Amino acid sequence: MTSFAPDSLVLNRKLPLWYQVSQSLRASILGRAPGAPLRLPTEEQLAQHYGVSVLTMRQALKELEEEGLISRHRRRGTFIEPGARRGAPRRLLGSIDAIVAQQSGERTTILGHGPEPVTGDLAEHFPDAAEVVVFRRLRRDGGTDEPTNWAENALRPEVAARVDLADLERWPMTKVLRDVLGVRISRITDTVEARLADPETAQLLSVPLLSPILHYTGVTYDAEGRVVDVARIRYRGDRFSFSVTVDAAD
């Protein structure tokens, strides 16, 4: 049986290796193509793929097993659960792969895209641009088909011109920027706040007008410190929660 092929990962030595590996493998599992093999490579093969020890790999797999994304069978191997999808809140420890994983595993519909003038809060992030290209997407739960969130991504025109809509239907924008377009992402700043659903959001997410939603803003910077993407995502308040772990330095 052919094994599932996970994506590659550039490790950040400032974060726990098992965490980075688990988030990268999680994103690969949730973003896998239809019909992809369910069997994972062996622990040894995965450890070699990610450049970590077998013990680190084992800890990463344990995290995914506890979340219900994989099952491990003695002598048979490790398998992706066929109905695996995003479930429990994740610990966010500053990893780009954590953001990719958080956005993976849902069915995405492109609502539209096109140029728009840089106005309002976008002017703060794109002071040198007259216009940006905005991509709008609706995400649905892969199991129930229920709308869960809708997103707007404002990109610089020269970057947006390279985006393939087919990639956006399969992967989050962060993954497309980094792994498809080769953008060297230096950091992403996240802001999450409670808001009330406006008419457009209420209609797209099938919730009552003025019901609580979670409004996420993510600003992505390249290696030169320029903003390449401003993401604004509206999440159904009854479907999402976020938790952040802060480890104190010794």
Side-chain angles (χ1 to χ4, degrees):
M1 178 186 294
T2 303
S3 296
F4 174 76
D7 295 340
S8 59
L9 170 66
V10 177
L11 293 170
N12 180 342
R13 296 294 168 177
K14 295 181 180 180
L15 296 173
L17 297 182
W18 68 266
Y19 172 80
Q20 296 178 71
V21 170
S22 70
Q23 293 301 300
S24 178
L25 185 54
R26 185 180 189 282
S28 296
I29 290 172
L30 293 179
R32 69 191 185 279
L38 295 178
R39 183 173 186 171
L40 290 180
T42 65
E43 287 181 352
E44 291 77 11
Q45 291 170 330
L46 285 170
Q48 183 178 15
H49 173 79
Y50 285 112
V52 298
S53 70
V54 173
L55 287 177
T56 296
M57 193 66 239
R58 196 166 293 160
Q59 187 174 4
L61 291 173
K62 180 182 178 183
E63 181 85 356
L64 299 179
E65 184 178 23
E66 290 177 351
E67 193 179 335
L69 293 181
I70 63 173
S71 58
R72 310 178 76 184
H73 305 274
R74 200 171 196 179
R75 296 193 178 91
R76 290 180 53 215
T78 302
F79 295 83
I80 299 170
E81 287 295 313
R85 64 181 190 271
R86 199 180 62 77
R90 270 151 315 285
R91 288 169 279 182
L92 301 181
L93 301 181
S95 165
I96 290 177
D97 285 284
I99 293 175
V100 170
Q102 188 274 322
Q103 297 171 353
S104 299
E106 297 171 317
R107 188 170 64 83
T108 300
T109 301
I110 306 296
L111 300 176
H113 71 288
E116 294 187 10
V118 174
T119 58
D121 60 339
L122 289 179
E124 173 188 351
H125 302 297
F126 300 103
D128 58 338
E131 66 177 22
V132 291
V133 177
V134 177
F135 295 82
R136 291 182 170 85
R137 292 165 294 148
L138 176 67
R139 298 190 183 107
R140 297 178 180 274
D141 185 283
T144 66
D145 202 39
E146 184 179 42
T148 59
N149 66 88
W150 78 280
E152 293 179 300
N153 289 85
L155 273 64
R156 292 182 177 275
E158 64 271 22
V159 177
R162 300 165 53 207
V163 173
D164 188 327
L165 294 183
D167 289 334
L168 275 187
E169 290 180 339
R170 179 180 177 188
W171 293 313
M173 180 65 82
T174 305
K175 182 175 178 63
V176 172
L177 291 173
R178 186 189 65 176
D179 297 344
V180 179
L181 303 188
V183 174
R184 294 175 57 202
I185 297 175
S186 62
R187 72 183 191 278
I188 300 174
T189 61
D190 296 337
T191 304
V192 180
E193 58 185 321
R195 291 192 182 180
L196 300 178
D198 57 38
E200 183 177 19
T201 296
Q203 180 180 16
L204 288 172
L205 299 186
S206 300
V207 297
L209 182 65
L210 301 181
S211 61
I213 63 167
L214 293 178
H215 189 282
Y216 163 90
T217 302
V219 183
T220 300
Y221 298 81
D222 64 15
E224 286 71 46
R226 293 198 319 162
V227 173
V228 293
D229 171 35
V230 175
R232 292 170 291 190
I233 309 176
R234 291 83 165 173
Y235 294 93
R236 282 183 53 156
D238 60 343
R239 292 296 307 274
F240 284 87
S241 62
F242 293 83
S243 63
V244 179
T245 299
V246 178
D247 292 328
D250 294 332

